[in-house]
Amino acid sequence: MAPLPNAELVRNSLQLYRYLLRCCKQLPEENIRQHYRHAIRQSFKVHADEDDPERIQQIIKRAIEDADWVMNK
């Protein structure tokens, strides 16, 4: 399963959140979709207070890489 196009356009946390939820919609089974939606929400809660722009970009890059891995799994 290919990742969604335009991942390179993700620049902030809201765009990342939307991108990851759209990726979840492509997953084959409902229980898998629920699991990853929950994981996405939890990760955003954990990193909500992050204010270092460099760290935020690292988190975005890693989240997109992880989403690509899950989509290809």
Side-chain angles (χ1 to χ4, degrees):
M1 194 175 298
L4 289 177
N6 300 326
E8 66 278 356
L9 299 177
V10 173
R11 297 285 180 238
N12 61 47
S13 57
L14 181 58
Q15 291 172 340
L16 176 63
Y17 188 75
R18 289 177 180 162
Y19 173 81
L20 295 175
L21 290 179
R22 285 187 200 116
C23 286
C24 283
K25 288 182 181 180
Q26 293 184 353
L27 295 172
E29 297 179 28
E30 181 60 30
N31 61 343
I32 295 171
R33 288 190 293 268
Q34 287 178 355
H35 169 78
Y36 283 109
R37 278 194 304 259
H38 177 73
I40 291 165
R41 289 184 186 112
Q42 291 303 105
S43 292
F44 272 80
K45 288 178 184 176
V46 167
H47 296 292
D49 61 344
E50 188 65 57
D51 59 357
D52 179 17
E54 186 176 316
R55 177 69 181 132
I56 292 170
Q57 289 306 311
Q58 289 174 345
I59 293 169
I60 289 171
K61 182 177 183 271
R62 178 62 189 262
I64 291 172
E65 290 171 356
D66 290 348
D68 289 346
W69 181 83
V70 168
M71 299 301 288
N72 291 320
K73 191 166 101 170

